[in-house]
Amino acid sequence: WADMLAPGAPERIAALASDSLLRGLRPMLQDIPDTGWILDRRLDPAWRAMREHGLRFDALVRPRHLPNLRRLLDRHPDLPVVIDHGAKPEIAKAVREPWARDLAAVARDSRVLCKVSGLVTESGPDWQIGDLKPYVDHLLDCFGPSRLMWGSDWPVVNRAGGYERWRDASDALF
């Protein structure tokens, strides 16, 4: 863990990056009430340190964060990013906008990858493949297969049907 706002954040990030298994850092943005937190200028040294040490920003974001993620990418043009859980669209409520539009804007940046994971936990307990399909199709349209990665979201996926059900659904969707 690294407190990205701490004065010693760059040194902490450098120390963490010395572990060859570490690939990125994931501040829990979904739990930070301030949607603009990622634009705080005091984070700039941490973003630079991540980039300098070859780490990705693992963006655990919700749809409300996507416009500010786009601004962060503009400010830090060399920062590689992986969006977690497809940016957690509100599948259970069948809400696609502004998620679809804002995600497409972020996806135009070729250094951004996206994890197809966590979608079933955003779908409600009685989800069906048809509930997921428009969201997965949009992710494919935006990122293409070469910039998408699949994730199990284990153990959280157990609250939404389990690993096997999600894996089987993924096989059907892709």
Side-chain angles (χ1 to χ4, degrees):
W1 185 79
D3 179 352
M4 293 176 62
L5 285 170
E11 293 78 15
R12 173 71 177 146
I13 291 168
L16 289 169
S18 69
D19 181 338
S20 64
L21 297 177
L22 183 71
R23 297 288 183 243
L25 295 178
R26 181 171 86 166
M28 303 295 280
L29 296 179
Q30 70 175 9
D31 297 329
I32 297 173
D34 179 6
T35 301
W37 183 87
I38 61 173
L39 298 178
D40 188 323
R41 288 286 184 181
R42 295 174 298 162
L43 292 166
D44 287 350
W47 300 128
R48 281 192 297 274
M50 287 174 63
R51 186 182 68 242
E52 289 166 7
H53 295 285
L55 298 177
R56 290 192 177 278
F57 168 35
D58 198 358
L60 181 56
V61 296
R62 294 197 172 276
R64 67 184 170 95
H65 297 104
L66 290 170
N68 284 334
L69 179 57
R70 178 67 258 160
R71 290 179 190 99
L72 179 71
L73 291 165
D74 291 341
R75 189 185 294 171
H76 295 279
D78 297 326
L79 181 66
V81 174
V82 174
I83 296 174
D84 275 342
H85 309 312
K88 300 190 126 198
E90 295 180 89
I91 299 171
K93 297 178 183 176
V95 173
R96 288 188 28 98
E97 294 298 342
W99 169 82
R101 179 194 65 234
D102 293 341
L103 186 73
V106 172
R108 283 193 281 275
D109 191 313
S110 63
R111 71 199 140 123
V112 179
L113 308 176
C114 185
K115 275 189 233 175
V116 181
S117 61
L119 298 181
V120 296
T121 58
E122 300 301 319
S123 302
D126 298 322
W127 63 269
Q128 301 298 314
I129 290 174
D131 301 329
L132 305 174
K133 186 166 178 32
Y135 298 89
V136 171
D137 286 350
H138 186 65
L139 292 170
L140 276 165
D141 288 345
C142 289
F143 291 96
S146 65
R147 292 193 299 136
L148 287 177
M149 60 182 81
W150 184 85
S152 69
D153 197 27
W154 186 88
V156 180
V157 72
N158 290 334
R159 291 190 275 165
Y163 172 83
E164 286 184 23
R165 185 170 178 219
W166 167 230
R167 187 196 63 222
D168 292 346
S170 298
D171 287 344
L173 289 162
F174 294 99

